[in-house]
């Protein structure tokens, strides 16, 4: 996950800030202000000439813009324009929520089946398609809830007759979401990585083993509860 370079100034942490310049349709102004507000952005200027579009200027921490471009294009239906440039280092603005959803994580090695995909589609958006090879710890989708879920996306339907498996299943499968490198960088959390190969991009957990992930999460929670005394 991308991290900004901070500076220590007289014992306090400072982070880079940017000036974000936005040109968007007036009807999307509310969602833009709301989303940047959750990312510690502060609107410093607004220009509305009555043409149906508005120009907005925000001062926002650089880390608040990580992952926002794709979200911005979605919120403005692809019609918004966003540019930003570094201004200065300022006092650390506080926590920023990066991703509110969890991940669907493969619990084993194997090939994706249409039968398993149909059963998992209700859980969230999948990143892989039928017959693709996955492995334990690989992210195969985005969970609609805020927690990670280990899933078996290689599960096969038990056959009760000689009919070909999956002949009907493929018609019900929602096409997987193919993330670009930029989208992948925006998506991952601190405990996730991106594998870049000549053929494809894969998202995975830093710790592939389920037990290792649980132990690491427990240590992180204990460290957080202990505070600065540990």
């Amino acid at each position: 996950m991308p991290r900004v370079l901070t500076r220590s100034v007289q014992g306090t942490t400072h982070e880079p800030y940017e000036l974000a310049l936005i040109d968007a349709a007036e009807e999307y102004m509310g969602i833009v202000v709301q989303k940047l507000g959750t990312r510690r952005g502060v609107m410093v200027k607004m220009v509305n000439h009555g043409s149906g579009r508005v120009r907005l200027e925000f001062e926002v921490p650089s880390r608040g813009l990580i992952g926002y471009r794709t979200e911005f294009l979605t919120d403005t239906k692809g019609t918004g324009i966003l540019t930003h440039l570094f201004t200065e280092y300022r006092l650390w603005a506080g926590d920023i929520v990066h991703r509110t959803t969890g991940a669907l994580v493969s619990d084993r090695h194997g090939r994706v089946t249409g039968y398993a995909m149909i059963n998992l589609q209700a859980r969230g958006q999948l990143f892989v398609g039928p017959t693709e090879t996955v492995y334990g710890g690989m992210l195969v989708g985005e969970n609609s809830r805020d927690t990670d879920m280990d899933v078996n996306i290689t599960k096969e339907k038990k056959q009760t007759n000689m009919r070909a498996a999956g002949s009907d299943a493929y018609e019900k499968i929602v096409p997987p979401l193919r993330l670009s490198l930029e989208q992948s960088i925006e998506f991952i959390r601190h405990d996730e990585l991106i594998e870049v190969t000549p053929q494809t991009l894969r998202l995975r957990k830093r710790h592939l083993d389920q037990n290792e992930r649980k132990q690491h999460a427990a240590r992180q929670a204990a460290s957080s509860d202990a505070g600065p005394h540990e």
Side-chain angles (χ1 to χ4, degrees), residues 51-230:
S51 62
R53 296 185 70 85
V54 294
R55 292 181 62 87
L56 309 173
E57 294 186 11
F58 286 83
E59 293 178 344
V60 57
S62 295
R63 60 193 171 94
L65 293 173
I66 296 175
Y68 180 62
R69 183 173 296 278
T70 301
E71 192 174 330
F72 171 75
L73 290 175
T74 299
D75 290 340
T76 61
K77 305 296 188 294
T79 63
I81 300 173
L82 167 66
T83 58
H84 51 92
L85 65 157
F86 169 76
T87 55
E88 61 182 349
Y89 272 78
R90 296 184 186 175
L91 192 65
W92 183 264
D95 293 335
I96 295 177
V97 176
H98 172 59
R99 192 179 92 212
T100 58
T101 57
L104 299 176
V105 186
S106 177
D107 64 359
R108 68 195 67 196
H109 175 85
R111 289 188 178 275
V112 176
T113 65
Y115 174 71
M117 288 185 65
I118 291 176
N119 292 329
L120 290 174
Q121 284 175 167
R123 301 287 186 179
Q125 175 69 59
L126 298 178
F127 299 155
V128 294
T131 73
E132 290 185 40
T133 301
V134 298
Y135 55 83
M138 177 177 167
L139 271 60
V140 296
E142 179 180 11
N143 190 5
S144 56
R145 298 189 176 184
D146 60 358
T147 56
D148 293 338
M149 177 182 295
D150 292 302
V151 299
N152 178 9
I153 200 169
T154 67
K155 186 175 181 180
E156 297 184 359
K157 182 178 181 180
K158 295 182 179 179
Q159 296 301 301
T160 56
N161 53 42
M162 298 300 293
R163 188 175 180 178
S167 58
D168 296 330
Y170 289 120
E171 299 177 4
K172 303 176 184 178
I173 293 175
V174 176
L177 175 63
R178 303 296 186 181
L179 298 178
S180 65
L181 178 59
E182 181 179 2
Q183 290 173 322
S184 298
I185 291 174
E186 295 174 349
F187 180 80
I188 59 174
R189 285 177 170 168
H190 66 278
D191 64 336
E192 297 164 351
L193 303 172
I194 304 172
E195 287 184 353
V196 182
T197 75
Q199 300 297 327
T200 186
L201 299 175
R202 301 187 187 94
L203 306 184
R204 50 160 285 185
K205 285 295 182 181
R206 184 179 297 273
H207 301 281
L208 296 179
D209 183 77
Q210 296 182 45
N211 293 327
E212 286 187 18
R213 292 201 298 273
K214 292 178 181 178
Q215 293 172 5
H216 179 73
R219 289 195 297 268
Q220 289 288 97
S223 176
S224 177
D225 292 339
H229 298 292
E230 182 167 295

